[in-house]
């Protein structure tokens, strides 16, 4: 019997993707009061927000850096369509109001493949029930059409949705697992990836103007985050290694939730905002179920497993940034396989890679390490390589 020897080594790396997106907002009519043409101009408040689907402005460690410069653990949107903004919805609430309060302003707008900066202005009444509005909270959602929240809220006017309803709304028909085990989304939908953020305690005095022109001088930038995670695999083989291939990949069941919150937890506004660790901590095994189906991904044929002189060279080292790591794969021609976008999960991603050496079938387990859970706006990479085979 012919004896085959192989080493299939896996490497997992959690990468917080740099999809930060800054919404740039200008004049926005309120749901009701601002439509009253008799309202005195002095009663109006204007807020200018800046959105850019490709920019970042803070590191996880809180270090200051230039806008648009990636942190060590950030990677660029790839493809660029991951950061496209096709539509936008913005709700404004008065800070300190109860969770059943209605927004004091709402705006929605359909766009055309914005992949950069975008300007809007938001307008609301400076006084509510005779009292000055001192601070406001924002709920911002891009590309809601890629979820089914419209169906879930079909009986509600978006203008009258309460804070509690926004906090609790989930999507459950996209970015999951099909009945046959295949991922639902292996590419960016035509309507874009869902992107959102919930920001609280924005000072009216510091960031709101009595005119549009004044508001522009006090404009703020708010990073948004994808509401989904990204998972894909890379494989290489040592030059001269033949008759090896990946036959299939499986991710354990009971990992991806049956539903995912559209908004992350609220975070208080700060000048140098950091979007990297924004997620939802509301998941509870007693309230959210998990899809029991095993996620089944395709194999990779020998010809599509790149031959390289030293496969171990492509293991992530401590000095590499996340983007350097991915760029090294691309430069060497080591392709990405089985890309899929999934609802975020607080569980570790575990699974099994099945592979063959000639006629011999084998498998190896993989596990995204602690901290590598597929929460929103995270890119997770598994790298495996063959050192020997026949």
């Amino acid at each position: 019997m012919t004896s085959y020897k192989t080493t299939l080594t896996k490497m997992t790396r959690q990468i917080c993707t740099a999809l930060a997106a800054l919404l740039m907002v200008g004049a926005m009519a309120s749901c009701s009061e601002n439509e009253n043409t008799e309202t005195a101009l002095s009663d109006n408040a204007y807020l200018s927000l800046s959105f850019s689907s490709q920019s970042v402005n803070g590191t996880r460690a809180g270090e200051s850096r230039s806008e648009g410069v990636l942190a060590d653990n950030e990677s660029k949107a790839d493809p660029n369509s991951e950061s496209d903004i096709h539509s936008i919805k913005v709700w404004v609430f008065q800070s300190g109001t109860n969770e059943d309060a209605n927004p004091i302003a709402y705006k929605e707008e359909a766009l055309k493949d914005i992949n950069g900066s975008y300007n809007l202005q938001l307008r609301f009444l400076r006084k509510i029930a005779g009292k000055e509005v001192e601070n406001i909270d924002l709920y911002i959602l891009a590309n809601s059409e890629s979820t089914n929240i419209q169906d879930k809220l079909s009986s509600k006017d978006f203008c009258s949705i309460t804070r509690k309803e926004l906090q609790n709304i989930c999507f459950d028909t996209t970015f999951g697992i099909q009945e046959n085990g295949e991922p639902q989304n292996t590419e960016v939908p035509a309507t874009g990836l869902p992107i959102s953020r919930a920001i609280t305690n924005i000072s009216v005095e510091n960031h709101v103007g009595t005119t549009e022109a004044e508001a522009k001088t006090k404009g703020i930038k708010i990073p948004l985050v994808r509401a989904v995670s990204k998972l894909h695999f890379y494989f290489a083989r040592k030059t001269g290694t033949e008759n090896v291939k990946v036959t299939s990949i499986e991710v354990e069941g009971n990992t991806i939730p049956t539903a995912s919150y559209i908004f992350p937890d609220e975070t208080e506004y700060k000048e140098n905002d950091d979007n990297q660790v924004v997620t939802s901590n509301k998941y509870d095994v007693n309230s959210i179920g998990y899809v029991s189906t095993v996620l089944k991904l395709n194999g990779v044929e020998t010809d599509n497993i790149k031959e390289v002189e030293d496969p171990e060279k492509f293991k992530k080292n401590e000095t590499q940034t996340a983007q350097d790591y991915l760029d090294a794969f691309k430069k060497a021609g080591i392709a990405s396989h089985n890309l899929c976008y999934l609802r975020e999960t607080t569980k570790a991603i575990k699974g099994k890679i099945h592979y063959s050496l000639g006629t011999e079938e084998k498998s190896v387990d993989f596990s995204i390490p602690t901290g590598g859970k597929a929460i929103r706006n995270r890119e997770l990479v598994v790298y495996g390589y063959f050192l020997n085979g026949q």
Side-chain angles (χ1 to χ4, degrees):
M1 179 180 294
T2 304
S3 175
Y4 300 106
K5 294 183 179 180
T6 187
T7 302
L8 176 61
T9 305
K10 60 186 183 306
M11 172 118 194
T12 58
R13 171 65 177 167
Q14 165 197 325
I15 302 172
C16 179
T17 53
L19 175 111
L22 305 173
L23 268 167
M24 216 169 183
V25 186
M28 203 179 280
S30 104
C31 293
S32 55
E33 290 95 339
N34 278 15
E35 297 301 324
N36 185 348
T37 57
E38 297 179 0
T39 299
L41 291 177
S42 60
D43 290 339
N44 287 327
Y46 296 87
L47 177 66
S48 181
L49 305 171
S50 176
F51 297 73
S52 171
S53 58
Q54 296 176 325
S55 299
V56 293
N57 75 341
T59 69
R60 183 168 55 188
E63 298 174 358
S64 175
R65 72 171 187 275
S66 301
E67 182 178 331
V69 177
L70 297 175
D72 287 350
N73 66 332
E74 292 178 330
S75 60
K76 296 181 294 187
D78 185 15
N80 287 333
S81 56
E82 289 179 349
S83 58
D84 282 351
I85 299 176
H86 301 268
S87 68
I88 201 74
K89 292 177 173 64
V90 182
W91 290 265
V92 186
F93 292 89
Q94 184 177 8
S95 298
T97 53
N98 65 52
E99 60 184 10
D100 293 320
N102 292 116
I104 61 175
Y106 169 74
K107 174 74 174 187
E108 66 176 74
E109 190 162 318
L111 312 176
K112 289 187 177 180
D113 303 343
I114 299 297
N115 191 281
S117 61
Y118 180 69
N119 300 329
L120 283 173
Q121 278 198 327
L122 185 155
R123 185 179 67 183
F124 58 93
L125 291 178
R126 185 172 291 274
K127 289 185 178 182
I128 303 295
K131 294 183 178 181
E132 290 277 350
V133 176
E134 296 182 354
N135 297 283
I136 58 172
D137 304 335
L138 298 179
Y139 279 74
I140 306 164
L141 173 60
N143 306 332
S144 64
E145 294 76 14
S146 293
T147 70
N148 64 324
I149 69 165
Q150 186 85 39
D151 297 333
K152 292 194 170 191
L153 298 171
S154 59
S155 62
K156 297 280 295 187
D157 187 332
F158 277 166
C159 181
S160 61
I161 290 174
T162 66
R163 182 197 302 269
K164 183 177 181 179
E165 288 172 317
L166 288 178
Q167 289 173 338
N168 293 331
I169 188 64
C170 294
F171 58 98
D172 55 16
T173 60
T174 51
F175 303 101
I177 305 172
Q178 301 181 51
E179 290 184 0
N180 63 2
E182 295 180 359
Q184 289 180 322
N185 293 86
T186 58
E187 57 185 25
V188 178
T191 48
L193 296 175
I195 311 168
S196 61
R197 194 73 191 274
I199 302 290
T200 64
N201 205 31
I202 299 172
S203 169
V204 170
E205 180 180 357
N206 294 337
H207 300 291
V208 174
T210 57
T211 65
E212 293 183 14
E214 182 186 2
K216 289 180 180 179
T217 67
K218 298 181 176 182
I220 62 176
K221 298 176 180 180
I222 298 178
L224 305 181
V225 295
R226 313 177 197 191
V228 296
S229 65
K230 176 181 180 180
L231 173 68
H232 52 145
F233 297 75
Y234 290 85
F235 296 102
R237 56 192 169 104
K238 186 174 178 61
T239 302
T241 302
E242 302 293 340
N243 296 327
V244 295
K245 67 178 180 179
V246 175
T247 54
S248 66
I249 303 171
E250 296 177 340
V251 175
E252 287 184 0
N254 295 307
T255 300
I256 306 302
T258 54
S260 185
Y261 292 101
I262 194 70
F263 286 100
D265 294 338
E266 293 180 339
T267 52
E268 188 168 337
Y269 175 74
K270 56 184 178 180
E271 294 291 340
N272 294 315
D273 200 357
D274 177 357
N275 67 357
Q276 297 182 61
V277 294
V278 176
T279 188
S280 177
N281 294 305
K282 295 175 286 189
Y283 296 97
D284 187 319
V285 293
N286 297 317
S287 60
I288 294 290
Y290 290 85
V291 180
S292 61
T293 306
V294 172
L295 177 62
K296 298 178 181 179
L297 303 172
N298 294 328
V300 183
E301 294 295 326
T302 305
D303 290 346
N304 293 322
I305 299 175
K306 179 68 176 179
E307 283 189 279
V308 295
E309 285 297 323
D310 182 9
E312 293 184 301
K313 172 184 175 183
F314 297 94
K315 296 194 303 183
K316 176 74 171 61
N317 65 57
E318 294 181 358
T319 62
Q320 276 182 308
T321 67
Q323 192 58 55
D324 287 343
Y325 182 52
L326 294 175
D327 286 345
F329 284 138
K330 184 172 292 187
K331 184 177 180 180
I334 301 175
S336 166
H337 299 280
N338 291 304
L339 170 64
C340 51
Y341 300 98
L342 301 166
R343 293 192 285 268
E344 69 170 339
T345 180
T346 56
K347 291 189 174 185
I349 300 293
K350 299 178 181 180
K352 192 178 293 289
I353 298 173
H354 300 273
Y355 61 99
S356 67
L357 307 170
T359 59
E360 186 178 2
E361 296 286 339
K362 292 191 173 186
S363 66
V364 62
D365 294 332
F366 71 88
S367 177
I368 304 297
T370 302
K373 299 168 184 176
I375 59 175
R376 68 183 62 206
N377 206 39
R378 291 296 171 91
E379 180 172 4
L380 299 122
V381 171
V382 178
Y383 170 50
Y385 57 87
F386 295 90
L387 286 180
N388 302 292
Q390 183 172 336

